[in-house]
């Protein structure tokens, strides 16, 4: 795999934490991805919606270790994956999941930084959701920043859906 630090979670955690420290020393923000872990699948969420069939205990013993280390190191942001983790949420991908973003990441793991979505242009999301509705659902699930690359139609749909949800009260001023 060419897109990971290491297949060994403890090595990934150590290198990730050192990277965070180095970024901070240089005056930069840091972001860990793809929460709660992409290691359980070889599928590419740019093309499909991957499924990771691991229990919470299995995730905690491997996939979550680098994220716990990153949180301890003061990581500024965490990007959430467009992946389905049936043991954590049988219906929603992580990006749409309150049990994963608010329950696991924020409450259980204690992360209080920025939660960023993976790109809303990706098939892992667009094959299952309308991007506007998904943007609202991501924010309601506990996310903070919707990422969408250069596709004006999707960006416009996201802005319109978020504005509509704010206007009709689905998204509160606090959220």
């Amino acid at each position: 795999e060419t897109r990971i630090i290491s297949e060994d979670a403890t090595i990934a955690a150590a290198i990730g934490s050192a990277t965070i420290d180095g970024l901070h020393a240089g005056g930069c923000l840091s972001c860990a991805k793809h929460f709660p872990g992409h290691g359980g699948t070889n599928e590419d969420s740019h093309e499909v919606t991957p499924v990771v069939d691991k229990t919470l205990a299995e995730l905690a013993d491997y996939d979550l270790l680098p994220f716990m280390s990153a949180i301890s190191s003061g990581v500024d942001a965490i990007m959430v994956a467009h992946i389905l983790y049936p043991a954590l949420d049988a219906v929603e991908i992580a990006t749409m999941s309150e049990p994963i973003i608010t329950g696991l990441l924020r409450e259980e793991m204690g992360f209080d930084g920025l939660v960023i979505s993976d790109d809303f242009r990706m098939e892992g999301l667009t094959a299952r959701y309308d991007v506007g509705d998904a943007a609202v659902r991501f924010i309601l699930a506990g996310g903070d920043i919707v990422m969408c690359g250069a596709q004006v139609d999707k960006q416009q749909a996201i802005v319109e859906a978020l504005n509509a949800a704010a206007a009709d009260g689905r998204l509160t001023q606090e959220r």
Side-chain angles (χ1 to χ4, degrees):
E1 176 63 66
T2 59
R3 297 185 65 199
I4 62 172
I5 293 173
S6 172
E7 290 182 12
D8 183 318
T10 57
I11 292 172
I15 293 173
S17 288
T19 301
I20 292 164
D21 292 344
L23 287 167
H24 288 166
C28 295
L29 298 176
S30 58
C31 181
K33 65 177 194 173
H34 295 87
F35 186 81
H38 212 308
T41 180
N42 290 324
E43 294 178 307
D44 184 351
S45 52
H46 290 89
E47 306 295 332
V48 297
T49 305
V51 177
V52 172
D53 279 316
K54 290 186 176 185
T55 65
L56 178 56
E58 289 170 325
L59 288 166
D61 285 343
Y62 181 77
D63 302 76
L64 297 179
L65 292 178
F67 292 103
M68 292 186 288
S69 179
I71 291 166
S72 294
S73 295
V75 72
D76 301 288
I78 293 181
M79 179 185 288
V80 182
H82 298 321
I83 298 177
L84 186 66
Y85 302 83
L88 305 180
D89 189 325
V91 178
E92 306 293 355
I93 62 174
T95 324
M96 304 295 119
S97 176
E98 186 173 354
I100 293 174
I101 297 173
T102 297
L104 178 59
L105 180 58
R106 294 216 186 268
E107 294 171 358
E108 290 182 41
M109 296 176 70
F111 181 65
D112 62 0
L114 292 171
V115 174
I116 301 172
S117 75
D118 209 339
D119 197 318
F120 266 48
R121 298 174 297 169
M122 296 167 57
E123 289 293 322
L125 179 133
T126 61
R128 297 173 66 95
Y129 303 92
D130 166 81
V131 294
D133 180 56
V136 174
R137 293 171 71 168
F138 169 70
I139 300 297
L140 289 173
D144 298 306
I145 298 175
V146 176
M147 181 172 57
C148 184
Q151 280 190 352
V152 175
D153 59 327
K154 286 184 174 54
Q155 293 170 343
Q156 189 65 38
I158 290 166
V159 169
E160 289 173 5
L162 292 172
N163 283 334
D168 71 19
R170 284 178 292 152
L171 287 178
T172 63
Q173 185 66 37
E174 293 77 21
R175 185 59 234 142

mmCIF file of all heavy atoms in Angstrom, residues 29-78:
data_model
loop_
_atom_site.group_PDB
_atom_site.id
_atom_site.type_symbol
_atom_site.label_atom_id
_atom_site.label_comp_id
_atom_site.label_asym_id
_atom_site.label_seq_id
_atom_site.Cartn_x
_atom_site.Cartn_y
_atom_site.Cartn_z
ATOM 1 N N LEU A 29 -0.953 23.656 10.770
ATOM 2 C CA LEU A 29 -1.988 22.807 11.347
ATOM 3 C C LEU A 29 -1.793 21.384 10.839
ATOM 4 O O LEU A 29 -1.131 21.157 9.826
ATOM 5 C CB LEU A 29 -3.375 23.315 10.980
ATOM 6 C CG LEU A 29 -3.739 24.706 11.488
ATOM 7 C CD1 LEU A 29 -5.106 25.129 10.967
ATOM 8 C CD2 LEU A 29 -3.721 24.741 13.003
ATOM 9 N N SER A 30 -2.415 20.435 11.520
ATOM 10 C CA SER A 30 -2.279 19.024 11.159
ATOM 11 C C SER A 30 -3.660 18.382 11.023
ATOM 12 O O SER A 30 -4.623 18.816 11.640
ATOM 13 C CB SER A 30 -1.481 18.294 12.237
ATOM 14 O OG SER A 30 -2.124 18.439 13.499
ATOM 15 N N CYS A 31 -3.721 17.326 10.205
ATOM 16 C CA CYS A 31 -4.961 16.584 10.014
ATOM 17 C C CYS A 31 -4.638 15.104 9.868
ATOM 18 O O CYS A 31 -3.746 14.733 9.109
ATOM 19 C CB CYS A 31 -5.696 17.080 8.760
ATOM 20 S SG CYS A 31 -7.274 16.237 8.462
ATOM 21 N N ALA A 32 -5.364 14.270 10.623
ATOM 22 C CA ALA A 32 -5.238 12.818 10.510
ATOM 23 C C ALA A 32 -6.411 12.295 9.685
ATOM 24 O O ALA A 32 -7.514 12.814 9.774
ATOM 25 C CB ALA A 32 -5.230 12.185 11.898
ATOM 26 N N LYS A 33 -6.161 11.254 8.898
ATOM 27 C CA LYS A 33 -7.225 10.666 8.087
ATOM 28 C C LYS A 33 -6.963 9.187 7.909
ATOM 29 O O LYS A 33 -5.851 8.737 8.135
ATOM 30 C CB LYS A 33 -7.335 11.382 6.746
ATOM 31 C CG LYS A 33 -6.112 11.223 5.834
ATOM 32 C CD LYS A 33 -6.358 11.901 4.508
ATOM 33 C CE LYS A 33 -5.321 11.457 3.488
ATOM 34 N NZ LYS A 33 -5.601 11.953 2.179
ATOM 35 N N HIS A 34 -7.881 8.418 7.537
ATOM 36 C CA HIS A 34 -9.320 8.539 7.292
ATOM 37 C C HIS A 34 -10.032 7.833 8.441
ATOM 38 O O HIS A 34 -10.031 6.620 8.481
ATOM 39 C CB HIS A 34 -9.726 7.862 5.997
ATOM 40 C CG HIS A 34 -9.169 8.450 4.747
ATOM 41 N ND1 HIS A 34 -7.939 8.082 4.225
ATOM 42 C CD2 HIS A 34 -9.688 9.393 3.920
ATOM 43 C CE1 HIS A 34 -7.741 8.756 3.102
ATOM 44 N NE2 HIS A 34 -8.789 9.561 2.891
ATOM 45 N N PHE A 35 -10.610 8.582 9.356
ATOM 46 C CA PHE A 35 -11.243 8.039 10.558
ATOM 47 C C PHE A 35 -12.508 7.268 10.200
ATOM 48 O O PHE A 35 -13.289 7.731 9.380
ATOM 49 C CB PHE A 35 -11.589 9.192 11.521
ATOM 50 C CG PHE A 35 -12.106 8.723 12.847
ATOM 51 C CD1 PHE A 35 -11.219 8.315 13.823
ATOM 52 C CD2 PHE A 35 -13.459 8.648 13.097
ATOM 53 C CE1 PHE A 35 -11.675 7.856 15.043
ATOM 54 C CE2 PHE A 35 -13.930 8.195 14.309
ATOM 55 C CZ PHE A 35 -13.037 7.798 15.291
ATOM 56 N N PRO A 36 -12.771 6.133 10.845
ATOM 57 C CA PRO A 36 -12.015 5.481 11.911
ATOM 58 C C PRO A 36 -10.984 4.467 11.431
ATOM 59 O O PRO A 36 -10.527 3.643 12.206
ATOM 60 C CB PRO A 36 -13.099 4.805 12.739
ATOM 61 C CG PRO A 36 -14.200 4.503 11.809
ATOM 62 C CD PRO A 36 -14.142 5.584 10.751
ATOM 63 N N GLY A 37 -10.572 4.534 10.195
ATOM 64 C CA GLY A 37 -9.513 3.675 9.680
ATOM 65 C C GLY A 37 -9.857 3.113 8.320
ATOM 66 O O GLY A 37 -10.974 2.664 8.094
ATOM 67 N N HIS A 38 -8.894 3.158 7.425
ATOM 68 C CA HIS A 38 -9.089 2.674 6.049
ATOM 69 C C HIS A 38 -8.384 1.336 5.839
ATOM 70 O O HIS A 38 -8.476 0.736 4.773
ATOM 71 C CB HIS A 38 -8.532 3.712 5.063
ATOM 72 C CG HIS A 38 -9.261 3.791 3.766
ATOM 73 N ND1 HIS A 38 -9.516 2.700 2.969
ATOM 74 C CD2 HIS A 38 -9.793 4.841 3.113
ATOM 75 C CE1 HIS A 38 -10.167 3.084 1.880
ATOM 76 N NE2 HIS A 38 -10.352 4.381 1.947
ATOM 77 N N GLY A 39 -7.682 0.860 6.864
ATOM 78 C CA GLY A 39 -6.851 -0.325 6.711
ATOM 79 C C GLY A 39 -7.598 -1.629 6.529
ATOM 80 O O GLY A 39 -7.015 -2.612 6.098
ATOM 81 N N GLY A 40 -8.893 -1.649 6.846
ATOM 82 C CA GLY A 40 -9.653 -2.888 6.751
ATOM 83 C C GLY A 40 -10.214 -3.168 5.378
ATOM 84 O O GLY A 40 -10.968 -4.124 5.208
ATOM 85 N N THR A 41 -9.863 -2.358 4.382
ATOM 86 C CA THR A 41 -10.370 -2.583 3.034
ATOM 87 C C THR A 41 -9.324 -2.189 2.005
ATOM 88 O O THR A 41 -8.537 -1.281 2.232
ATOM 89 C CB THR A 41 -11.673 -1.788 2.781
ATOM 90 O OG1 THR A 41 -12.113 -2.042 1.448
ATOM 91 C CG2 THR A 41 -11.478 -0.302 2.973
ATOM 92 N N ASN A 42 -9.338 -2.887 0.887
ATOM 93 C CA ASN A 42 -8.493 -2.514 -0.243
ATOM 94 C C ASN A 42 -9.268 -1.696 -1.259
ATOM 95 O O ASN A 42 -8.714 -1.253 -2.255
ATOM 96 C CB ASN A 42 -7.914 -3.761 -0.930
ATOM 97 C CG ASN A 42 -6.882 -4.449 -0.067
ATOM 98 O OD1 ASN A 42 -6.126 -3.799 0.637
ATOM 99 N ND2 ASN A 42 -6.875 -5.773 -0.116
ATOM 100 N N GLU A 43 -10.576 -1.525 -1.019
ATOM 101 C CA GLU A 43 -11.404 -0.774 -1.953
ATOM 102 C C GLU A 43 -11.116 0.717 -1.829
ATOM 103 O O GLU A 43 -10.775 1.209 -0.763
ATOM 104 C CB GLU A 43 -12.884 -1.048 -1.690
ATOM 105 C CG GLU A 43 -13.275 -2.485 -1.993
ATOM 106 C CD GLU A 43 -14.723 -2.762 -1.675
ATOM 107 O OE1 GLU A 43 -15.137 -2.481 -0.535
ATOM 108 O OE2 GLU A 43 -15.423 -3.251 -2.563
ATOM 109 N N ASP A 44 -11.291 1.421 -2.931
ATOM 110 C CA ASP A 44 -11.013 2.850 -3.011
ATOM 111 C C ASP A 44 -12.320 3.616 -2.910
ATOM 112 O O ASP A 44 -13.191 3.487 -3.768
ATOM 113 C CB ASP A 44 -10.315 3.152 -4.345
ATOM 114 C CG ASP A 44 -9.904 4.601 -4.492
ATOM 115 O OD1 ASP A 44 -10.289 5.439 -3.653
ATOM 116 O OD2 ASP A 44 -9.198 4.896 -5.468
ATOM 117 N N SER A 45 -12.457 4.441 -1.856
ATOM 118 C CA SER A 45 -13.702 5.187 -1.662
ATOM 119 C C SER A 45 -13.893 6.292 -2.697
ATOM 120 O O SER A 45 -14.940 6.927 -2.738
ATOM 121 C CB SER A 45 -13.788 5.746 -0.236
ATOM 122 O OG SER A 45 -12.632 6.478 0.090
ATOM 123 N N HIS A 46 -12.886 6.510 -3.559
ATOM 124 C CA HIS A 46 -13.101 7.397 -4.700
ATOM 125 C C HIS A 46 -14.030 6.726 -5.715
ATOM 126 O O HIS A 46 -14.698 7.401 -6.485
ATOM 127 C CB HIS A 46 -11.774 7.739 -5.402
ATOM 128 C CG HIS A 46 -10.876 8.620 -4.606
ATOM 129 N ND1 HIS A 46 -9.952 8.133 -3.723
ATOM 130 C CD2 HIS A 46 -10.770 9.965 -4.568
ATOM 131 C CE1 HIS A 46 -9.304 9.144 -3.164
ATOM 132 N NE2 HIS A 46 -9.782 10.266 -3.656
ATOM 133 N N GLU A 47 -14.056 5.377 -5.709
ATOM 134 C CA GLU A 47 -14.783 4.617 -6.726
ATOM 135 C C GLU A 47 -16.029 3.913 -6.198
ATOM 136 O O GLU A 47 -17.002 3.738 -6.923
ATOM 137 C CB GLU A 47 -13.851 3.569 -7.349
ATOM 138 C CG GLU A 47 -12.544 4.126 -7.893
ATOM 139 C CD GLU A 47 -12.725 5.075 -9.060
ATOM 140 O OE1 GLU A 47 -13.728 4.942 -9.795
ATOM 141 O OE2 GLU A 47 -11.879 5.977 -9.230
ATOM 142 N N VAL A 48 -16.006 3.429 -4.962
ATOM 143 C CA VAL A 48 -17.104 2.654 -4.375
ATOM 144 C C VAL A 48 -17.253 3.049 -2.909
ATOM 145 O O VAL A 48 -16.447 3.805 -2.375
ATOM 146 C CB VAL A 48 -16.848 1.128 -4.466
ATOM 147 C CG1 VAL A 48 -16.765 0.666 -5.913
ATOM 148 C CG2 VAL A 48 -15.593 0.736 -3.702
ATOM 149 N N THR A 49 -18.277 2.491 -2.251
ATOM 150 C CA THR A 49 -18.417 2.655 -0.807
ATOM 151 C C THR A 49 -17.851 1.399 -0.145
ATOM 152 O O THR A 49 -18.511 0.362 -0.115
ATOM 153 C CB THR A 49 -19.892 2.833 -0.393
ATOM 154 O OG1 THR A 49 -20.453 3.923 -1.113
ATOM 155 C CG2 THR A 49 -20.007 3.094 1.101
ATOM 156 N N PRO A 50 -16.621 1.461 0.383
ATOM 157 C CA PRO A 50 -16.047 0.281 1.031
ATOM 158 C C PRO A 50 -16.792 -0.067 2.318
ATOM 159 O O PRO A 50 -17.415 0.796 2.948
ATOM 160 C CB PRO A 50 -14.612 0.708 1.354
ATOM 161 C CG PRO A 50 -14.345 1.882 0.482
ATOM 162 C CD PRO A 50 -15.665 2.567 0.316
ATOM 163 N N VAL A 51 -16.715 -1.335 2.702
ATOM 164 C CA VAL A 51 -17.288 -1.819 3.946
ATOM 165 C C VAL A 51 -16.160 -2.433 4.766
ATOM 166 O O VAL A 51 -15.387 -3.240 4.253
ATOM 167 C CB VAL A 51 -18.393 -2.869 3.695
ATOM 168 C CG1 VAL A 51 -18.931 -3.421 5.014
ATOM 169 C CG2 VAL A 51 -19.516 -2.283 2.848
ATOM 170 N N VAL A 52 -16.050 -2.029 6.028
ATOM 171 C CA VAL A 52 -15.067 -2.602 6.946
ATOM 172 C C VAL A 52 -15.828 -3.384 8.006
ATOM 173 O O VAL A 52 -16.520 -2.798 8.834
ATOM 174 C CB VAL A 52 -14.177 -1.511 7.585
ATOM 175 C CG1 VAL A 52 -13.292 -2.116 8.673
ATOM 176 C CG2 VAL A 52 -13.328 -0.824 6.528
ATOM 177 N N ASP A 53 -15.721 -4.711 7.938
ATOM 178 C CA ASP A 53 -16.434 -5.584 8.877
ATOM 179 C C ASP A 53 -15.539 -5.940 10.052
ATOM 180 O O ASP A 53 -15.057 -7.061 10.178
ATOM 181 C CB ASP A 53 -16.907 -6.856 8.165
ATOM 182 C CG ASP A 53 -18.178 -6.632 7.381
ATOM 183 O OD1 ASP A 53 -19.092 -5.982 7.928
ATOM 184 O OD2 ASP A 53 -18.256 -7.084 6.225
ATOM 185 N N LYS A 54 -15.295 -4.948 10.908
ATOM 186 C CA LYS A 54 -14.529 -5.168 12.133
ATOM 187 C C LYS A 54 -15.389 -4.744 13.311
ATOM 188 O O LYS A 54 -16.164 -3.798 13.214
ATOM 189 C CB LYS A 54 -13.247 -4.335 12.134
ATOM 190 C CG LYS A 54 -12.189 -4.778 11.160
ATOM 191 C CD LYS A 54 -10.911 -3.961 11.373
ATOM 192 C CE LYS A 54 -9.784 -4.428 10.487
ATOM 193 N NZ LYS A 54 -8.525 -3.705 10.792
ATOM 194 N N THR A 55 -15.206 -5.427 14.426
ATOM 195 C CA THR A 55 -15.888 -5.026 15.654
ATOM 196 C C THR A 55 -15.203 -3.789 16.216
ATOM 197 O O THR A 55 -14.077 -3.449 15.823
ATOM 198 C CB THR A 55 -15.817 -6.150 16.704
ATOM 199 O OG1 THR A 55 -14.449 -6.331 17.084
ATOM 200 C CG2 THR A 55 -16.403 -7.456 16.168
ATOM 201 N N LEU A 56 -15.852 -3.135 17.158
ATOM 202 C CA LEU A 56 -15.226 -1.993 17.826
ATOM 203 C C LEU A 56 -13.930 -2.420 18.499
ATOM 204 O O LEU A 56 -12.931 -1.700 18.446
ATOM 205 C CB LEU A 56 -16.186 -1.363 18.838
ATOM 206 C CG LEU A 56 -15.630 -0.180 19.631
ATOM 207 C CD1 LEU A 56 -15.132 0.928 18.711
ATOM 208 C CD2 LEU A 56 -16.671 0.354 20.598
ATOM 209 N N ALA A 57 -13.910 -3.607 19.107
ATOM 210 C CA ALA A 57 -12.691 -4.091 19.764
ATOM 211 C C ALA A 57 -11.564 -4.275 18.749
ATOM 212 O O ALA A 57 -10.412 -3.921 19.019
ATOM 213 C CB ALA A 57 -12.968 -5.399 20.495
ATOM 214 N N GLU A 58 -11.879 -4.820 17.580
ATOM 215 C CA GLU A 58 -10.868 -4.994 16.533
ATOM 216 C C GLU A 58 -10.357 -3.642 16.042
ATOM 217 O O GLU A 58 -9.160 -3.459 15.819
ATOM 218 C CB GLU A 58 -11.431 -5.796 15.364
ATOM 219 C CG GLU A 58 -11.662 -7.264 15.693
ATOM 220 C CD GLU A 58 -12.428 -8.006 14.618
ATOM 221 O OE1 GLU A 58 -13.320 -7.405 13.974
ATOM 222 O OE2 GLU A 58 -12.128 -9.190 14.417
ATOM 223 N N LEU A 59 -11.262 -2.686 15.855
ATOM 224 C CA LEU A 59 -10.851 -1.341 15.447
ATOM 225 C C LEU A 59 -9.970 -0.703 16.513
ATOM 226 O O LEU A 59 -8.953 -0.093 16.203
ATOM 227 C CB LEU A 59 -12.077 -0.465 15.169
ATOM 228 C CG LEU A 59 -12.863 -0.783 13.901
ATOM 229 C CD1 LEU A 59 -14.218 -0.085 13.919
ATOM 230 C CD2 LEU A 59 -12.080 -0.399 12.652
ATOM 231 N N ALA A 60 -10.355 -0.852 17.782
ATOM 232 C CA ALA A 60 -9.597 -0.249 18.886
ATOM 233 C C ALA A 60 -8.198 -0.844 18.996
ATOM 234 O O ALA A 60 -7.243 -0.144 19.341
ATOM 235 C CB ALA A 60 -10.344 -0.416 20.201
ATOM 236 N N ASP A 61 -8.054 -2.129 18.684
ATOM 237 C CA ASP A 61 -6.756 -2.797 18.786
ATOM 238 C C ASP A 61 -5.810 -2.469 17.641
ATOM 239 O O ASP A 61 -4.620 -2.753 17.727
ATOM 240 C CB ASP A 61 -6.940 -4.321 18.836
ATOM 241 C CG ASP A 61 -7.457 -4.797 20.179
ATOM 242 O OD1 ASP A 61 -7.379 -4.035 21.162
ATOM 243 O OD2 ASP A 61 -7.941 -5.944 20.238
ATOM 244 N N TYR A 62 -6.320 -1.880 16.560
ATOM 245 C CA TYR A 62 -5.474 -1.618 15.396
ATOM 246 C C TYR A 62 -5.766 -0.258 14.767
ATOM 247 O O TYR A 62 -4.977 0.674 14.872
ATOM 248 C CB TYR A 62 -5.637 -2.742 14.361
ATOM 249 C CG TYR A 62 -4.781 -2.558 13.133
ATOM 250 C CD1 TYR A 62 -3.420 -2.844 13.156
ATOM 251 C CD2 TYR A 62 -5.336 -2.090 11.953
ATOM 252 C CE1 TYR A 62 -2.622 -2.662 12.031
ATOM 253 C CE2 TYR A 62 -4.547 -1.907 10.817
ATOM 254 C CZ TYR A 62 -3.198 -2.194 10.864
ATOM 255 O OH TYR A 62 -2.420 -2.008 9.757
ATOM 256 N N ASP A 63 -6.913 -0.128 14.140
ATOM 257 C CA ASP A 63 -7.231 1.056 13.329
ATOM 258 C C ASP A 63 -7.257 2.348 14.130
ATOM 259 O O ASP A 63 -6.852 3.400 13.629
ATOM 260 C CB ASP A 63 -8.590 0.870 12.638
ATOM 261 C CG ASP A 63 -8.628 -0.368 11.770
ATOM 262 O OD1 ASP A 63 -8.730 -1.480 12.321
ATOM 263 O OD2 ASP A 63 -8.560 -0.229 10.537
ATOM 264 N N LEU A 64 -7.758 2.299 15.359
ATOM 265 C CA LEU A 64 -7.904 3.525 16.145
ATOM 266 C C LEU A 64 -6.615 3.960 16.840
ATOM 267 O O LEU A 64 -6.517 5.110 17.286
ATOM 268 C CB LEU A 64 -9.025 3.367 17.177
ATOM 269 C CG LEU A 64 -10.431 3.144 16.613
ATOM 270 C CD1 LEU A 64 -11.438 2.988 17.752
ATOM 271 C CD2 LEU A 64 -10.848 4.269 15.680
ATOM 272 N N LEU A 65 -5.623 3.076 16.916
ATOM 273 C CA LEU A 65 -4.380 3.417 17.635
ATOM 274 C C LEU A 65 -3.705 4.681 17.093
ATOM 275 O O LEU A 65 -3.350 5.566 17.884
ATOM 276 C CB LEU A 65 -3.403 2.238 17.613
ATOM 277 C CG LEU A 65 -3.818 1.001 18.408
ATOM 278 C CD1 LEU A 65 -2.768 -0.106 18.248
ATOM 279 C CD2 LEU A 65 -4.033 1.327 19.875
ATOM 280 N N PRO A 66 -3.511 4.826 15.779
ATOM 281 C CA PRO A 66 -2.891 6.067 15.295
ATOM 282 C C PRO A 66 -3.729 7.311 15.589
ATOM 283 O O PRO A 66 -3.182 8.388 15.844
ATOM 284 C CB PRO A 66 -2.753 5.837 13.785
ATOM 285 C CG PRO A 66 -2.741 4.351 13.631
ATOM 286 C CD PRO A 66 -3.665 3.846 14.703
ATOM 287 N N PHE A 67 -5.059 7.168 15.584
ATOM 288 C CA PHE A 67 -5.917 8.318 15.878
ATOM 289 C C PHE A 67 -5.839 8.697 17.356
ATOM 290 O O PHE A 67 -5.810 9.877 17.698
ATOM 291 C CB PHE A 67 -7.368 8.042 15.461
ATOM 292 C CG PHE A 67 -7.534 7.934 13.979
ATOM 293 C CD1 PHE A 67 -7.680 6.703 13.368
ATOM 294 C CD2 PHE A 67 -7.532 9.066 13.178
ATOM 295 C CE1 PHE A 67 -7.815 6.594 11.994
ATOM 296 C CE2 PHE A 67 -7.663 8.979 11.801
ATOM 297 C CZ PHE A 67 -7.804 7.736 11.207
ATOM 298 N N MET A 68 -5.778 7.696 18.233
ATOM 299 C CA MET A 68 -5.631 7.997 19.665
ATOM 300 C C MET A 68 -4.313 8.710 19.918
ATOM 301 O O MET A 68 -4.251 9.669 20.679
ATOM 302 C CB MET A 68 -5.761 6.714 20.490
ATOM 303 C CG MET A 68 -7.168 6.143 20.447
ATOM 304 S SD MET A 68 -7.446 4.715 21.538
ATOM 305 C CE MET A 68 -6.527 3.440 20.705
ATOM 306 N N SER A 69 -3.251 8.251 19.254
ATOM 307 C CA SER A 69 -1.950 8.896 19.380
ATOM 308 C C SER A 69 -1.985 10.319 18.822
ATOM 309 O O SER A 69 -1.440 11.251 19.428
ATOM 310 C CB SER A 69 -0.893 8.058 18.641
ATOM 311 O OG SER A 69 0.367 8.651 18.730
ATOM 312 N N ALA A 70 -2.650 10.485 17.676
ATOM 313 C CA ALA A 70 -2.758 11.819 17.067
ATOM 314 C C ALA A 70 -3.503 12.778 17.992
ATOM 315 O O ALA A 70 -3.100 13.936 18.161
ATOM 316 C CB ALA A 70 -3.455 11.723 15.709
ATOM 317 N N ILE A 71 -4.587 12.305 18.597
ATOM 318 C CA ILE A 71 -5.356 13.149 19.520
ATOM 319 C C ILE A 71 -4.480 13.535 20.711
ATOM 320 O O ILE A 71 -4.446 14.703 21.120
ATOM 321 C CB ILE A 71 -6.654 12.435 19.952
ATOM 322 C CG1 ILE A 71 -7.618 12.330 18.758
ATOM 323 C CG2 ILE A 71 -7.321 13.167 21.126
ATOM 324 C CD1 ILE A 71 -8.782 11.368 18.971
ATOM 325 N N SER A 72 -3.729 12.576 21.254
ATOM 326 C CA SER A 72 -2.819 12.871 22.368
ATOM 327 C C SER A 72 -1.753 13.882 21.971
ATOM 328 O O SER A 72 -1.276 14.645 22.803
ATOM 329 C CB SER A 72 -2.142 11.589 22.857
ATOM 330 O OG SER A 72 -3.088 10.722 23.420
ATOM 331 N N SER A 73 -1.389 13.880 20.692
ATOM 332 C CA SER A 73 -0.359 14.806 20.184
ATOM 333 C C SER A 73 -0.934 16.151 19.774
ATOM 334 O O SER A 73 -0.201 17.001 19.272
ATOM 335 C CB SER A 73 0.367 14.169 18.999
ATOM 336 O OG SER A 73 1.068 13.027 19.419
ATOM 337 N N GLY A 74 -2.234 16.339 19.961
ATOM 338 C CA GLY A 74 -2.852 17.626 19.661
ATOM 339 C C GLY A 74 -3.174 17.854 18.199
ATOM 340 O O GLY A 74 -3.169 19.000 17.738
ATOM 341 N N VAL A 75 -3.486 16.783 17.465
ATOM 342 C CA VAL A 75 -3.863 16.948 16.061
ATOM 343 C C VAL A 75 -5.005 17.968 15.961
ATOM 344 O O VAL A 75 -5.906 18.000 16.809
ATOM 345 C CB VAL A 75 -4.232 15.592 15.411
ATOM 346 C CG1 VAL A 75 -5.567 15.052 15.919
ATOM 347 C CG2 VAL A 75 -4.239 15.693 13.897
ATOM 348 N N ASP A 76 -4.935 18.827 14.960
ATOM 349 C CA ASP A 76 -5.902 19.921 14.835
ATOM 350 C C ASP A 76 -7.214 19.500 14.183
ATOM 351 O O ASP A 76 -8.270 20.046 14.492
ATOM 352 C CB ASP A 76 -5.278 21.057 14.012
ATOM 353 C CG ASP A 76 -4.012 21.562 14.664
ATOM 354 O OD1 ASP A 76 -4.118 22.227 15.711
ATOM 355 O OD2 ASP A 76 -2.920 21.264 14.140
ATOM 356 N N ALA A 77 -7.138 18.540 13.262
ATOM 357 C CA ALA A 77 -8.322 18.120 12.513
ATOM 358 C C ALA A 77 -8.247 16.630 12.243
ATOM 359 O O ALA A 77 -7.163 16.038 12.200
ATOM 360 C CB ALA A 77 -8.403 18.885 11.189
ATOM 361 N N ILE A 78 -9.410 16.028 12.064
ATOM 362 C CA ILE A 78 -9.493 14.626 11.655
ATOM 363 C C ILE A 78 -10.489 14.539 10.513
ATOM 364 O O ILE A 78 -11.593 15.078 10.591
ATOM 365 C CB ILE A 78 -9.896 13.708 12.828
ATOM 366 C CG1 ILE A 78 -8.762 13.678 13.868
ATOM 367 C CG2 ILE A 78 -10.227 12.307 12.325
ATOM 368 C CD1 ILE A 78 -9.023 12.792 15.079
#
